[in-house]
Amino acid sequence: MSDTTSTDPVHVLHPEQSWGFLREREFGRLAYHLLGEVHIVPINYALDGERLVFLTAEGSKLFGVTANPDVAFEVDEVVGDRATSVICRGRARVLEGQAAYVAERLPVRPWVDTPRSVVVAIDVDEISGRRFDLTRPWLRDLPS
C-alpha cells in the first residue's frame, strides 16, 4: 500500500481521480463469468455519471453479463516512466426502452465497425486506482 512519502513508487488514487482517469479514455477490458469460467474482452465505453455504458451484440459477452451480472472492468495506461491502472467492480444490466437512449447522447464509439444494438450499463459498486512510478532498469541496459 502507498503512504504519503514521495519515495514510494505506488500512489493510491482517490476515487475522484480514478473516475477522472476513466472519463478521459474510451477503451478497457471487461471481465465476466460464463459457464463457470472468467472471460476478459476489450470494449469501448463511455461514462454516464458513475456508471459505464457500452454497446454489444448477441453473443457470449451478452449471455455472460445477463446470466451473471457481477463484472469487473479495467483500464491501464503506461506513459514514459508512469503506469496507471483503474479497476471497477459492479453489476451489468441491459438497458431497454427509453433507458437505452442514453447511448445516443454518450460518446460510445466502437473501434470495429460491426453491428451492436444492445446497450449495457455497469453500475459500479467499487472503484480503485493506482499510479506507479516505473524503474524498468532493463531499458537502461539497451544499446543506443
Side-chain angles (χ1 to χ4, degrees):
M1 291 299 260
S2 175
D3 59 32
T4 57
T5 65
S6 61
T7 59
D8 192 338
V10 180
H11 310 276
V12 176
L13 300 181
H14 188 277
E16 290 166 5
Q17 292 172 297
S18 295
W19 284 112
F21 180 79
L22 292 182
R23 215 166 261 107
E24 295 171 358
R25 280 139 192 96
E26 59 183 321
F27 183 78
R29 284 165 300 286
L30 173 71
Y32 63 95
H33 300 272
L34 179 63
L35 303 174
E37 298 177 339
V38 177
H39 294 255
I40 299 174
V41 295
I43 62 169
N44 297 96
Y45 72 95
L47 290 185
D48 180 37
E50 292 189 350
R51 72 178 180 173
L52 295 127
V53 175
F54 66 94
L55 302 174
T56 193
E58 297 291 329
S60 59
K61 180 179 8 171
L62 180 59
F63 181 72
V65 300
T66 55
N68 183 342
D70 292 324
V71 298
F73 179 77
E74 179 179 31
V75 176
D76 295 309
E77 179 180 73
V78 177
V79 176
D81 290 337
R82 288 199 130 176
T84 305
S85 178
V86 172
I87 298 172
C88 300
R89 290 181 180 80
R91 298 183 58 79
R93 62 187 169 95
V94 173
L95 300 181
E96 298 176 314
Q98 288 294 109
Y101 286 112
V102 69
E104 291 182 12
R105 66 173 175 79
L106 294 174
V108 181
R109 298 179 292 265
W111 290 1
V112 178
D113 189 19
T114 57
R116 293 175 178 90
S117 60
V118 180
V119 181
V120 178
I122 300 172
D123 296 313
V124 175
D125 297 323
E126 179 183 334
I127 187 168
S128 63
R130 303 282 185 276
R131 185 162 288 128
F132 307 94
D133 298 326
L134 307 176
T135 55
R136 300 190 291 183
W138 61 90
L139 292 179
R140 289 190 292 272
D141 298 336
L142 294 176
S144 305

